[in-house]
Amino acid sequence: MHYVAMLTIVDPDLNAKVRPAHLAYIDDLYKQGKVVMAGPFTDKQGGMVIYKAASPEEALELAKADPVVKEGARTLELREWSPLEFPLG
């Protein structure tokens, strides 16, 4: 299953400090096949990570271990996502 993590910045200074560790973390998970896609929002208020995990518990564990979440620089909203298969019909 896929899970979308919405990561809203709540402490810009701390976020800037922890961001390199965040990028290294999601890059490593991408190499393991656990992150499908990630990136910042254009309004610079946070970003999104799409995880591929076997269960909601695994996805939550991965998302909570992200340095920006662990350090309190960003809030976490995690939702299960069911992408459409294209082409439709």
Side-chain angles (χ1 to χ4, degrees):
M1 288 299 304
H2 291 90
Y3 300 85
V4 175
M6 306 287 284
L7 304 170
T8 302
I9 297 170
V10 292
D11 187 330
D13 293 333
L14 181 57
N15 182 70
K17 180 181 173 186
V18 180
R19 189 168 183 268
H22 159 70
L23 294 175
Y25 178 74
I26 60 174
D27 186 54
D28 183 54
L29 289 179
Y30 175 80
K31 291 172 184 170
Q32 295 177 42
K34 298 290 184 180
V35 165
V36 176
M37 189 175 281
F41 296 121
T42 58
D43 65 5
K44 301 187 187 315
Q45 299 300 307
M48 183 176 80
V49 178
I50 300 175
Y51 293 99
K52 185 175 183 180
S55 68
E57 294 80 15
E58 179 189 8
L60 185 59
E61 183 180 309
L62 293 171
K64 283 185 168 183
D66 187 322
V68 292
V69 175
K70 225 163 65 168
E71 297 294 325
R74 301 186 192 193
T75 60
L76 168 65
E77 178 187 350
L78 186 69
R79 299 182 69 176
E80 189 170 337
W81 182 52
S82 180
L84 296 174
E85 296 286 333
F86 287 100
L88 298 176

